[in-house]
Amino acid sequence: MTSDRIFGLDFLRFLAIMLVVVGHGLTLMPSFPEIKIFFRIFDFIGVELFFVLSGFLIGTIFLKTFSCQSSVSDLVYFWKRRWWRTLPNYYLFVLINFIGFSFLKDEFSFDWRYLFFLQNLIGPHSGFFSVSWSLTVEEWFYLSVPLVFIVGLRVFKSRAIAIWSTVGLVTVASLMARYQYVVGFDATWNNEIRQVAVLRLDSLIYGVAAAWLWLNHKEFLTRYKMHFFVLGVCFLGAGIVIRNDPEINQTHWMLLLLFPILSVGISCWLPVLAAWRSSIEGEGALARSIRNISVWSYSLYLVHVPAMEGFSIFVLPKILDNYFLQLCAFLIWIFLAIFASSLIYRFFEKPIMDMRDGVPDDSLIKSVLGGRRG
C-alpha cells in the first residue's frame, strides 16, 4: 500500500524539527561546551528548512487551486483552512506560556501583540513564547502571498506571469526591506533581522517557486534531481560557512544574502525529496518513527521549549557538576517532548483538523482540498 504522504517531504520535516529540538536542547548540557559550539547551527538550519518546505507545500496547494476565476470567497476559504490548521495549537501554547511566565517570572506582563502575530512583525520580540517568531513569518506569508497571486491572476490572466510576478515582488521587497534595516539600524543577523517577519517573507517564496517548477517541469527536475541536490549542498554549505564566521556574516552583503543562499540551497533538494515515495506496507520502525514525528512536528515545535524551560528551572541546577546526568536529562527531555507532542496531536490537533475537513463549503477550493491534512 502506498501512502498519500510523500516520504521525502516527511523526512525533510522530521529533519527540520529534530535539528531545532537538538539545537535548542543543548542548553541542558552546559558541561559540553564543545558540542554546543559544533551543533549551534542546528536550530538555525532547522527553521530555514521549515520555511522552504512550508512555501513548497502551501505553494502547491494554491497553485493547484486558484485560477483566473477564483473569487474572494475562495481566498477566504483557503485562509480558513490555514487558520484551522495553525491557530488552535498556537493559542493553546500562548495560554501555556502565559501561565508559566505568570508563575515563574517576576513582574511579567502579557504583550497583546502575541494574539495577532504582531510581536515581531516589524521588530524583535520580547522573548515570551520564543519560538513564535517563525509562526509570525508564516502566518503573514499565508495572509499576503495568496492575495498577491490572485491579484496577479486577475491582472495578467496567466498563471505563469502571476506566480513569477509574485515571486519577484516578494523577493525584491524583502531584499529592499532588509537593506534599509541593515543600513538604517546597523542591525545584527539574528534577532534584529532573522526574527523580523517583514524581512523574512522571501524565505518561503523560494519554496513556492520550487512548487511551480515541480508542477510544470517535473520530468526535467526528476531527470536532474541529483545534480540539483549536489548544487543545494554547495549552497547550504556556503551558507553555513557564512553563518559561522562572524567577520563575514556581519557584513552588509551577507546580512542581505545569507538567507536567500540557504533558501535556494534547500529548494534544490526538493526534486529529490518530492520524488522519494515509500510504501507503508513493510516499513520498518525507523521509517514509521520518521513519519510519526513529521506528523507531530507542529506540536513538537511548540511544546519542546516549555518542556526545556521546566528542565532548566527544576532539574538542571541539581546536576550542574554531573556530565552523565546532564546527558540523561537531555535524552529524557527529548523523549518527553516527543511523547507530549504525540498526545497533543492525537487529542487536540487532529480532532480540530477533522472538524475543519468536515465543515461544509461549496466553494471551488473544497473540490481540490477536500480530505487533505496539514
Side-chain angles (χ1 to χ4, degrees):
M1 179 174 66
T2 301
S3 170
D4 290 335
R5 300 181 66 89
I6 299 172
F7 184 79
L9 300 183
D10 280 343
F11 176 79
L12 184 61
R13 190 182 292 106
F14 162 82
L15 178 63
I17 189 59
M18 293 313 298
L19 287 176
V20 170
V21 170
V22 171
H24 286 163
L26 293 175
T27 59
L28 297 176
M29 298 195 297
S31 296
F32 298 86
E34 297 84 3
I35 294 178
K36 187 172 183 178
I37 291 172
F38 183 79
F39 291 114
R40 65 181 178 180
I41 196 74
F42 272 24
D43 59 312
F44 170 61
I45 295 297
V47 173
E48 301 308 308
L49 292 174
F50 270 128
F51 282 156
V52 175
L53 178 60
S54 295
F56 183 78
L57 295 174
I58 296 304
T60 300
I61 291 174
F62 72 67
L63 284 169
K64 286 183 175 180
T65 300
F66 297 140
S67 68
C68 296
Q69 289 73 44
S70 294
S71 65
V72 173
S73 62
D74 297 323
L75 182 60
V76 170
Y77 184 65
F78 172 87
W79 285 335
K80 282 167 55 180
R81 289 184 62 83
R82 280 293 89 202
W83 293 334
W84 273 88
R85 173 69 180 90
T86 59
L87 296 191
N89 261 20
Y90 174 79
Y91 286 120
L92 172 65
F93 277 89
V94 168
L95 177 61
I96 289 172
N97 280 273
F98 171 76
I99 294 171
F101 272 68
S102 297
F103 277 101
L104 300 174
K105 304 291 184 180
D106 295 333
E107 300 180 358
F108 167 71
S109 61
F110 180 70
D111 187 343
W112 62 268
R113 292 178 300 173
Y114 282 85
L115 298 177
F116 304 101
F117 295 97
L118 297 173
Q119 63 268 31
N120 60 298
L121 179 61
I122 58 175
H125 68 143
S126 63
F128 168 80
F129 196 3
S130 59
V131 298
S132 70
W133 73 267
S134 63
L135 305 180
T136 301
V137 176
E138 296 202 3
E139 290 299 327
W140 282 97
F141 181 89
Y142 300 151
L143 187 66
S144 60
V145 171
L147 176 60
V148 174
F149 177 59
I150 283 189
V151 171
L153 284 172
R154 291 296 184 90
V155 172
F156 300 113
K157 308 298 182 183
S158 165
R159 295 174 64 81
I161 296 176
I163 190 59
W164 288 111
S165 297
T166 302
V167 170
L169 177 62
V170 173
T171 302
V172 171
S174 297
L175 289 172
M176 290 178 62
R178 278 205 298 276
Y179 177 80
Q180 292 298 324
Y181 212 84
V182 168
V183 173
F185 297 97
D186 195 26
T188 57
W189 77 273
N190 190 24
N191 291 344
E192 296 177 3
I193 295 180
R194 176 178 176 242
Q195 298 184 6
V196 177
V198 295
L199 308 180
R200 299 302 317 278
L201 296 181
D202 60 328
S203 295
L204 286 84
I205 204 66
Y206 294 100
V208 174
W212 190 91
L213 292 170
W214 180 249
L215 292 173
N216 291 277
H217 301 284
K218 186 173 182 178
E219 183 178 346
F220 173 82
L221 293 176
T222 302
R223 183 185 309 157
Y224 295 103
K225 61 185 179 182
M226 293 309 301
H227 298 76
F228 283 107
F229 182 81
V230 172
L231 181 63
V233 171
C234 294
F235 270 93
L236 201 65
I240 291 172
V241 170
I242 293 168
R243 159 64 183 89
N244 282 336
D245 190 332
E247 293 186 5
I248 299 177
N249 67 34
Q250 292 301 322
T251 64
H252 285 182
W253 278 107
M254 288 302 99
L255 287 170
L256 195 64
L257 298 176
L258 170 61
F259 303 111
I261 288 171
L262 291 168
S263 298
V264 169
I266 296 164
S267 298
C268 288
W269 289 4
L270 291 172
V272 166
L273 296 169
W276 183 8
R277 294 183 176 270
S278 177
S279 171
I280 291 178
E281 189 174 302
E283 275 188 347
L286 178 59
R288 289 195 300 272
S289 297
I290 289 172
R291 284 190 185 276
N292 287 336
I293 292 175
S294 170
V295 170
W296 306 333
S297 61
Y298 184 38
S299 294
L300 181 54
Y301 186 74
L302 294 170
V303 78
H304 79 279
V305 171
M308 183 182 70
E309 293 290 347
F311 268 64
S312 297
I313 294 170
F314 299 108
V315 177
L316 190 58
K318 301 176 182 179
I319 57 173
L320 281 177
D321 297 324
N322 193 308
Y323 287 42
F324 176 73
L325 289 181
Q326 286 179 27
L327 179 60
C328 289
F330 173 77
L331 296 175
I332 293 170
W333 162 74
I334 290 180
F335 172 80
L336 290 178
I338 293 174
F339 179 69
S341 70
S342 71
L343 296 179
I344 295 166
Y345 178 82
R346 179 178 179 182
F347 295 110
F348 184 76
E349 184 178 342
K350 188 174 187 302
I352 288 175
M353 286 195 295
D354 290 340
M355 290 171 58
R356 173 196 71 174
D357 291 326
V359 173
D361 196 301
D362 294 328
S363 71
L364 169 68
I365 294 183
K366 186 179 180 183
S367 66
V368 177
L369 299 183
R372 285 182 180 269
R373 295 295 185 270

